[in-house]
Amino acid sequence: MVGRLFSLLSVFPIKMRIRHKILAGYLALVVAAVILVAFFLFTIADINSRYSDLITRDQGILLQANNLRSGAQRQIVAARSYELSPDISLLVEYNDAVQQQTDAIKKITPLLMTVDDRNSLEDIKNASATYTQLADQSIEFVGQGANQSSSNPSIARSETARLALINMVEGFIVRKNQQVSDAQATLSTHVEEVSAQLLAWSLVAVFLTLIAVTLFTESFTAPLRRLMRNVQRIARGDLQTPIVVRSHDEIGELAGVLEETRRRLSSAAAENATLLAIARAKPDKLHAIHAELVRAIV
């Protein structure tokens, strides 16, 4: 099968020296290796990009979301503590907590990729602003000397706003955790698929390499086998069968030299046969002449 395939390939008159064939074979192997390595590197780069995106974006969102929740909890605790015991240090804590929420929202905003996430963050931002407004009113009410929470008209509304803010932040964090888990599962599935593809392409590359090496080897051995058979026929005395070796390299040149030698040997053998026939015919002629002379003398 391989021999027939090589015979089909050998009809193309591509004249290459043996060293050029060897060089072409090495270059083909190098090109195949470079392509395979480039595919591996591209795949690894794609996986690293996805993993980096998962770490820098989704994990960054979770970090800032936790900061947002921490700021909201600090704000709520500071506001409640100030209502029970007005202290300037609690106001400092309260303002720091509000600023922490503001910074977290600013850092989260450019990381969000979907409309749902942006809408959720906008709802959290509005809930935080609502609670902050009501908490400011309560703090102002307490600061005016009315420290009885029962007389504070903002207590009930701030409690509702507090619950709404906490629930929104918690829901956002739970959803992002689920999204990160889904992204990790998707990435793991992608890694498994890519591993299977790399294995398949590696097997294909090995198979093609074996075929290429076989054809490459056959390009040397097949002409040599044919040439050896022709030389063996000449050694057995067959000078009539021409030497035909389709190889456009040094082996073909050697076959041409042997064919010319075969022709010369065949021609020399034909001449020798003619001379031998003439030499064998001369004694008969001499005998006939001798007989004629004898008859003439008598």
Side-chain angles (χ1 to χ4, degrees):
M1 178 65 183
V2 176
R4 288 196 296 269
L5 180 58
F6 175 75
S7 298
L8 293 176
L9 294 176
S10 62
V11 299
F12 297 99
I14 301 176
K15 187 173 183 179
M16 292 182 65
R17 315 297 289 181
I18 291 179
R19 61 178 180 275
H20 295 159
K21 289 184 178 181
I22 296 175
L23 179 60
Y26 280 127
L27 289 178
L29 290 177
V30 170
V31 170
V34 169
I35 293 175
L36 193 59
V37 170
F39 178 73
F40 288 168
L41 294 177
F42 176 79
T43 304
I44 293 173
D46 180 65
I47 293 175
N48 288 335
S49 176
R50 295 192 181 197
Y51 181 76
S52 177
D53 183 68
L54 178 65
I55 295 299
T56 58
R57 183 171 58 82
D58 293 339
Q59 296 293 346
I61 291 174
L62 284 177
L63 176 63
Q64 297 305 324
N66 286 316
N67 289 337
L68 178 59
R69 177 173 59 184
S70 174
Q73 291 174 345
R74 288 176 57 200
Q75 181 186 14
I76 292 169
V77 171
R80 285 184 169 183
S81 299
Y82 187 82
E83 291 173 359
L84 297 175
S85 177
D87 189 346
I88 189 64
S89 62
L90 294 175
L91 290 180
V92 174
E93 174 69 11
Y94 175 85
N95 291 328
D96 288 343
V98 173
Q99 186 62 41
Q100 181 180 352
Q101 294 179 68
T102 302
D103 294 340
I105 291 174
K106 287 181 179 179
K107 292 178 180 179
I108 290 177
T109 300
L111 298 177
L112 298 178
M113 305 297 293
T114 64
V115 177
D116 291 339
D117 287 342
R118 296 193 191 98
N119 292 336
S120 297
L121 184 62
E122 189 65 24
D123 293 339
I124 293 174
K125 184 178 179 181
N126 293 334
S128 177
T130 300
Y131 174 74
T132 300
Q133 182 181 4
L134 295 174
D136 288 344
Q137 293 177 1
S138 297
I139 291 174
E140 184 179 359
F141 184 80
V142 172
Q144 292 175 355
N147 57 1
Q148 298 297 324
S149 59
S150 59
S151 61
N152 190 339
S154 301
I155 290 295
R157 288 185 297 165
S158 64
E159 183 67 16
T160 302
R162 179 188 68 81
L163 292 175
L165 175 60
I166 294 299
N167 289 336
M168 287 183 183
V169 174
E170 291 293 342
F172 181 79
I173 292 176
V174 169
R175 186 167 63 255
K176 291 309 297 180
N177 277 322
Q178 184 61 42
Q179 290 177 356
V180 170
S181 298
D182 294 342
Q184 290 176 343
T186 301
L187 182 60
S188 298
T189 302
H190 178 67
V191 170
E192 293 176 358
E193 292 176 353
V194 168
S195 299
Q197 291 178 0
L198 292 178
L199 178 60
W201 280 110
S202 298
L203 293 177
V204 170
V206 171
F207 180 71
L208 293 178
T209 301
L210 290 176
I211 293 177
V213 170
T214 302
L215 293 176
F216 187 69
T217 304
E218 188 71 11
S219 68
F220 294 113
T221 59
L224 285 175
R225 287 196 300 269
R226 288 194 294 269
L227 186 60
M228 181 60 66
R229 287 193 295 268
N230 284 278
V231 171
Q232 290 172 350
R233 281 198 299 268
I234 294 174
R236 290 193 297 265
D238 182 6
L239 299 176
Q240 303 304 317
T241 304
I243 298 176
V244 180
V245 177
R246 297 186 181 90
S247 181
H248 306 283
D249 52 19
E250 289 88 342
I251 297 176
E253 294 177 359
L254 179 59
V257 172
L258 289 176
E259 172 62 14
E260 181 65 24
T261 303
R262 183 198 66 81
R263 291 176 181 175
R264 292 183 179 180
L265 289 175
S266 178
S267 178
E271 291 179 0
N272 289 337
T274 302
L275 292 175
L276 181 60
I278 293 173
R280 287 176 178 176
K282 283 183 177 181
D284 295 335
K285 291 182 179 180
L286 291 175
H287 182 70
I289 293 171
H290 177 71
E292 289 290 337
L293 291 175
V294 171
R295 284 194 297 269
I297 295 171
V298 174

